[in-house]
Amino acid sequence: MRKALIAANWKMYKTPAQAKEFVATFLPLVTGHTRDEIVLCPSATSLSAVVDAVAGSNVRVGGQNIHTADEGAFTGENSAVMLVALGVSHIIIGHSERRQYFGETDELVNQKTHQALKHGLKPIVCVGELLAEREGGKTQEVLLRQTEIAFKGITAEQAANIVIAYEPVWAIGTGKTATPEMAAEAHLVIRTEVARLLGREVADNIRILYGGSVKPDNATALLNQPEIDGALVGGASLDAVSFSKIVRY
Ligand code: 13P
Protein backbone atom coordinates (compact mmCIF):
# COMPACT_ATOMS: atom_id res chain seq x y z
CA MET A 1 0.00 0.00 0.00
CA ARG A 2 1.47 3.33 -1.06
CA LYS A 3 0.78 6.17 1.37
CA ALA A 4 -0.59 9.14 -0.53
CA LEU A 5 1.31 12.41 -0.49
CA ILE A 6 -0.53 15.69 -0.90
CA ALA A 7 1.78 18.60 -1.65
CA ALA A 8 1.12 22.31 -2.01
CA ASN A 9 3.19 24.16 -4.58
CA TRP A 10 2.76 27.83 -3.73
CA LYS A 11 4.95 28.91 -6.67
CA MET A 12 5.83 32.64 -6.35
CA TYR A 13 3.00 33.51 -3.97
CA LYS A 14 2.86 34.52 -0.29
CA THR A 15 5.13 36.63 1.88
CA PRO A 16 6.45 35.05 5.09
CA ALA A 17 3.62 36.70 7.04
CA GLN A 18 1.01 35.33 4.64
CA ALA A 19 2.64 31.91 4.80
CA LYS A 20 2.45 31.91 8.62
CA GLU A 21 -1.17 32.99 8.49
CA PHE A 22 -1.90 30.06 6.15
CA VAL A 23 -0.26 27.58 8.52
CA ALA A 24 -2.15 28.97 11.53
CA THR A 25 -5.46 28.33 9.76
CA PHE A 26 -4.38 25.08 8.10
CA LEU A 27 -2.89 23.06 10.98
CA PRO A 28 -6.10 22.76 13.03
CA LEU A 29 -7.88 21.55 9.89
CA VAL A 30 -5.48 18.61 9.43
CA THR A 31 -4.64 17.75 13.03
CA GLY A 32 -4.41 14.00 13.48
CA HIS A 33 -4.64 13.35 9.75
CA THR A 34 -2.23 10.46 9.26
CA ARG A 35 -3.72 8.76 6.18
CA ASP A 36 -1.70 10.99 3.84
CA GLU A 37 1.65 12.75 4.01
CA ILE A 38 1.28 16.52 3.77
CA VAL A 39 3.99 18.79 2.36
CA LEU A 40 3.93 22.57 1.92
CA CYS A 41 6.32 24.03 -0.68
CA PRO A 42 6.58 27.79 -0.21
CA SER A 43 8.96 30.08 -2.05
CA ALA A 44 12.52 30.19 -0.68
CA THR A 45 11.88 33.38 1.28
CA SER A 46 9.12 31.73 3.34
CA LEU A 47 10.77 28.36 3.96
CA SER A 48 12.15 29.30 7.34
CA ALA A 49 8.85 30.79 8.56
CA VAL A 50 6.91 27.71 7.45
CA VAL A 51 9.41 25.25 8.98
CA ASP A 52 9.02 27.07 12.32
CA ALA A 53 5.24 27.29 12.02
CA VAL A 54 4.69 23.57 11.33
CA ALA A 55 7.20 22.32 13.95
CA GLY A 56 5.83 19.35 15.88
CA SER A 57 2.97 18.80 13.43
CA ASN A 58 2.22 16.20 10.75
CA VAL A 59 3.16 18.68 8.00
CA ARG A 60 6.54 18.71 6.21
CA VAL A 61 8.17 21.43 4.15
CA GLY A 62 9.62 21.33 0.65
CA GLY A 63 11.51 23.76 -1.56
CA GLN A 64 10.66 24.51 -5.18
CA ASN A 65 14.13 24.47 -6.71
CA ILE A 66 17.81 23.89 -5.90
CA HIS A 67 21.09 24.40 -7.69
CA THR A 68 23.26 21.41 -8.59
CA ALA A 69 26.21 22.60 -6.47
CA ASP A 70 26.61 22.66 -2.69
CA GLU A 71 27.81 26.27 -2.83
CA GLY A 72 29.52 28.64 -5.23
CA ALA A 73 29.36 31.87 -7.22
CA PHE A 74 25.80 31.38 -8.48
CA THR A 75 23.99 34.63 -7.77
CA GLY A 76 20.36 34.18 -6.85
CA GLU A 77 20.49 30.43 -6.34
CA ASN A 78 19.93 28.26 -3.27
CA SER A 79 21.60 24.94 -2.51
CA ALA A 80 20.33 21.66 -1.07
CA VAL A 81 22.74 22.15 1.85
CA MET A 82 21.08 25.46 2.69
CA LEU A 83 17.57 24.04 2.50
CA VAL A 84 18.45 21.07 4.66
CA ALA A 85 19.98 23.45 7.21
CA LEU A 86 16.60 25.20 7.44
CA GLY A 87 14.77 21.96 8.18
CA VAL A 88 13.37 21.37 4.71
CA SER A 89 12.72 17.70 3.81
CA HIS A 90 11.38 17.69 0.24
CA ILE A 91 12.23 19.42 -3.02
CA ILE A 92 10.27 19.90 -6.22
CA ILE A 93 12.54 19.24 -9.20
CA GLY A 94 11.92 19.95 -12.87
CA HIS A 95 8.54 21.60 -12.54
CA SER A 96 7.24 22.42 -16.01
CA GLU A 97 7.51 26.15 -15.22
CA ARG A 98 11.22 25.68 -14.56
CA ARG A 99 11.54 23.69 -17.76
CA GLN A 100 9.55 26.24 -19.80
CA TYR A 101 10.70 29.58 -18.37
CA PHE A 102 14.14 28.79 -16.95
CA GLY A 103 15.45 26.39 -19.55
CA GLU A 104 15.72 23.31 -17.36
CA THR A 105 16.52 20.23 -19.41
CA ASP A 106 15.98 16.56 -18.65
CA GLU A 107 19.71 16.29 -17.90
CA LEU A 108 19.58 19.15 -15.39
CA VAL A 109 16.58 17.52 -13.71
CA ASN A 110 18.67 14.37 -13.36
CA GLN A 111 21.61 16.30 -11.86
CA LYS A 112 19.36 18.11 -9.39
CA THR A 113 17.76 14.81 -8.40
CA HIS A 114 21.20 13.38 -7.59
CA GLN A 115 22.12 16.53 -5.69
CA ALA A 116 18.93 16.40 -3.60
CA LEU A 117 19.45 12.73 -2.72
CA LYS A 118 23.08 13.36 -1.80
CA HIS A 119 21.90 15.72 0.93
CA GLY A 120 18.87 13.75 2.07
CA LEU A 121 16.19 15.87 0.43
CA LYS A 122 13.30 13.86 -1.00
CA PRO A 123 12.86 14.82 -4.66
CA ILE A 124 9.41 15.34 -6.15
CA VAL A 125 10.40 14.96 -9.80
CA CYS A 126 7.94 16.50 -12.25
CA VAL A 127 7.22 15.14 -15.71
CA GLY A 128 4.44 15.89 -18.15
CA GLU A 129 3.64 16.64 -21.77
CA LEU A 130 2.80 19.93 -23.48
CA LEU A 131 -0.56 20.37 -25.21
CA ALA A 132 1.08 20.11 -28.63
CA GLU A 133 2.78 16.88 -27.58
CA ARG A 134 -0.52 15.37 -26.41
CA GLU A 135 -2.30 16.48 -29.56
CA GLY A 136 0.56 15.13 -31.64
CA GLY A 137 0.21 11.70 -30.02
CA LYS A 138 3.58 12.08 -28.30
CA THR A 139 2.51 11.84 -24.65
CA GLN A 140 3.93 8.40 -24.05
CA GLU A 141 7.21 9.17 -25.81
CA VAL A 142 7.69 12.35 -23.75
CA LEU A 143 6.92 10.63 -20.45
CA LEU A 144 9.30 7.78 -21.23
CA ARG A 145 12.11 10.16 -22.16
CA GLN A 146 11.64 12.44 -19.14
CA THR A 147 11.44 9.48 -16.75
CA GLU A 148 14.40 7.61 -18.20
CA ILE A 149 16.69 10.64 -18.08
CA ALA A 150 15.51 11.77 -14.63
CA PHE A 151 16.47 8.33 -13.25
CA LYS A 152 19.85 8.06 -14.94
CA GLY A 153 22.36 6.69 -12.40
CA ILE A 154 19.72 6.35 -9.68
CA THR A 155 19.82 3.11 -7.68
CA ALA A 156 16.82 1.14 -6.44
CA GLU A 157 17.72 2.17 -2.90
CA GLN A 158 17.75 5.86 -3.86
CA ALA A 159 14.50 5.55 -5.78
CA ALA A 160 12.74 4.68 -2.52
CA ASN A 161 13.12 8.36 -1.60
CA ILE A 162 11.86 9.74 -4.90
CA VAL A 163 8.32 10.80 -5.67
CA ILE A 164 7.23 11.46 -9.26
CA ALA A 165 4.62 14.07 -10.14
CA TYR A 166 2.79 13.72 -13.44
CA GLU A 167 1.72 17.22 -14.42
CA PRO A 168 0.35 17.57 -17.94
CA VAL A 169 1.40 21.11 -18.83
CA TRP A 170 -1.95 21.89 -20.50
CA ALA A 171 -3.72 21.23 -17.20
CA ILE A 172 -1.60 23.54 -15.05
CA GLY A 173 -3.40 26.71 -13.98
CA THR A 174 -5.88 26.33 -16.82
CA GLY A 175 -8.81 24.78 -14.95
CA LYS A 176 -8.56 21.86 -17.41
CA THR A 177 -7.94 18.65 -15.51
CA ALA A 178 -6.89 15.38 -16.99
CA THR A 179 -9.74 12.95 -16.44
CA PRO A 180 -8.96 10.39 -13.73
CA GLU A 181 -8.67 7.79 -16.52
CA MET A 182 -6.23 9.91 -18.55
CA ALA A 183 -4.08 10.55 -15.48
CA ALA A 184 -4.15 6.86 -14.50
CA GLU A 185 -3.09 5.90 -18.02
CA ALA A 186 -0.12 8.28 -17.91
CA HIS A 187 0.83 7.04 -14.44
CA LEU A 188 0.85 3.49 -15.72
CA VAL A 189 3.22 4.49 -18.54
CA ILE A 190 5.56 6.09 -15.99
CA ARG A 191 5.34 3.18 -13.54
CA THR A 192 6.04 0.66 -16.29
CA GLU A 193 9.11 2.66 -17.27
CA VAL A 194 10.34 2.72 -13.67
CA ALA A 195 9.87 -1.07 -13.60
CA ARG A 196 11.94 -1.40 -16.76
CA LEU A 197 14.70 0.79 -15.31
CA LEU A 198 14.76 -0.37 -11.68
CA GLY A 199 12.60 -3.44 -11.32
CA ARG A 200 9.04 -4.29 -10.37
CA GLU A 201 9.44 -3.80 -6.64
CA VAL A 202 10.73 -0.24 -6.97
CA ALA A 203 7.93 0.54 -9.43
CA ASP A 204 5.28 -0.90 -7.13
CA ASN A 205 6.49 1.22 -4.23
CA ILE A 206 7.18 4.53 -5.95
CA ARG A 207 4.53 7.19 -5.53
CA ILE A 208 3.25 9.02 -8.57
CA LEU A 209 1.31 12.20 -7.83
CA TYR A 210 -1.03 13.95 -10.22
CA GLY A 211 -0.86 17.73 -10.66
CA GLY A 212 -2.85 20.12 -12.85
CA SER A 213 -5.97 21.97 -11.68
CA VAL A 214 -6.62 19.70 -8.70
CA LYS A 215 -9.47 21.30 -6.73
CA PRO A 216 -11.58 20.19 -3.75
CA ASP A 217 -14.36 19.10 -6.11
CA ASN A 218 -12.26 16.86 -8.37
CA ALA A 219 -9.73 15.58 -5.81
CA THR A 220 -11.76 12.56 -4.73
CA ALA A 221 -12.28 11.19 -8.24
CA LEU A 222 -8.59 11.64 -9.08
CA LEU A 223 -7.21 10.32 -5.82
CA ASN A 224 -9.49 7.29 -5.76
CA GLN A 225 -7.72 5.98 -8.85
CA PRO A 226 -5.41 3.20 -7.62
CA GLU A 227 -2.65 4.49 -9.93
CA ILE A 228 -2.74 7.99 -8.41
CA ASP A 229 -0.77 8.23 -5.18
CA GLY A 230 -1.35 11.83 -4.25
CA ALA A 231 -1.51 15.32 -5.67
CA LEU A 232 0.72 18.30 -6.34
CA VAL A 233 -1.57 21.28 -6.02
CA GLY A 234 -0.96 24.83 -7.24
CA GLY A 235 -3.77 27.39 -7.17
CA ALA A 236 -6.09 25.50 -4.83
CA SER A 237 -3.31 25.10 -2.26
CA LEU A 238 -3.03 28.83 -1.64
CA ASP A 239 -6.16 28.84 0.51
CA ALA A 240 -5.92 26.85 3.75
CA VAL A 241 -9.53 25.66 3.76
CA SER A 242 -9.44 24.63 0.11
CA PHE A 243 -6.14 22.76 0.52
CA SER A 244 -7.37 21.02 3.69
CA LYS A 245 -10.38 19.75 1.73
CA ILE A 246 -8.05 18.23 -0.86
CA VAL A 247 -5.95 16.65 1.91
CA ARG A 248 -9.13 15.15 3.35
CA TYR A 249 -10.50 14.00 -0.04
P1 13P B 1 -2.55 24.25 -10.58
O1 13P B 1 -3.08 23.36 -9.48
O2 13P B 1 -2.69 25.70 -10.28
O3 13P B 1 -3.05 23.85 -11.92
O4 13P B 1 -0.95 24.00 -10.61
C1 13P B 1 -0.48 22.72 -10.69
C2 13P B 1 0.97 22.75 -10.45
O5 13P B 1 1.73 23.26 -11.26
C3 13P B 1 1.49 22.17 -9.20
O6 13P B 1 2.87 22.04 -9.23
Side-chain angles (χ1 to χ4, degrees):
M1 226 5 223
R2 298 182 291 263
K3 183 168 182 162
L5 190 157
I6 315 291
N9 175 9
W10 287 350
K11 308 191 179 186
M12 201 173 73
Y13 292 97
K14 293 193 190 295
T15 63
Q18 290 167 333
K20 275 192 260 186
E21 199 183 309
F22 175 104
V23 175
T25 311
F26 181 66
L27 283 188
L29 300 173
V30 297
T31 306
H33 185 88
T34 53
R35 182 192 59 183
D36 311 273
E37 263 179 68
I38 307 168
V39 180
L40 300 177
C41 304
S43 63
T45 50
S46 291
L47 282 170
S48 192
V50 175
V51 167
D52 289 348
V54 303
S57 79
N58 51 339
V59 176
R60 300 284 164 270
V61 182
Q64 297 177 11
N65 180 38
I66 46 165
H67 193 270
T68 53
D70 292 358
E71 61 181 11
F74 301 110
T75 302
E77 292 290 301
N78 297 299
S79 78
V81 176
M82 295 163 182
L83 267 58
V84 169
L86 287 181
V88 169
S89 54
H90 292 70
I91 183 77
I92 298 172
I93 294 180
H95 190 278
S96 65
E97 287 150 17
R98 301 239 28 111
R99 293 178 188 254
Q100 269 188 298
Y101 307 134
F102 303 96
E104 293 202 4
T105 61
D106 295 331
E107 284 71 22
L108 191 59
V109 170
N110 174 250
Q111 288 168 26
K112 289 187 176 189
T113 302
H114 279 281
Q115 176 67 3
L117 291 167
K118 178 176 145 197
H119 294 288
L121 283 176
K122 294 187 167 71
I124 302 174
V125 177
C126 301
V127 297
E129 79 286 1
L130 302 167
L131 180 61
E133 290 166 339
R134 176 159 284 267
E135 288 178 346
K138 296 218 165 7
T139 299
Q140 179 155 341
E141 180 186 323
V142 170
L143 296 179
L144 294 178
R145 188 199 74 227
Q146 291 177 336
T147 306
E148 179 174 18
I149 300 177
F151 278 82
K152 226 191 293 167
I154 299 287
T155 64
E157 198 183 332
Q158 286 175 315
N161 288 311
I162 297 180
V163 175
I164 299 172
Y166 168 60
E167 298 208 311
V169 179
W170 48 270
I172 295 177
T174 57
K176 281 188 211 152
T177 323
T179 63
E181 294 73 24
M182 271 159 99
E185 193 185 330
H187 285 212
L188 192 59
V189 168
I190 296 164
R191 200 178 298 285
T192 305
E193 178 64 2
V194 173
R196 187 184 71 81
L197 297 167
L198 289 161
R200 194 67 251 173
E201 193 182 333
V202 170
D204 284 342
N205 289 324
I206 203 159
R207 288 174 296 179
I208 307 179
L209 318 183
Y210 169 77
S213 298
V214 176
K215 308 288 175 202
D217 63 2
N218 62 22
T220 308
L222 287 160
L223 289 160
N224 276 341
Q225 287 282 334
E227 263 302 328
I228 300 182
D229 308 314
L232 183 54
V233 187
S237 75
L238 293 169
D239 177 76
V241 173
S242 148
F243 187 55
S244 75
K245 285 184 182 158
I246 295 174
V247 167
R248 293 187 171 279
Y249 67 88

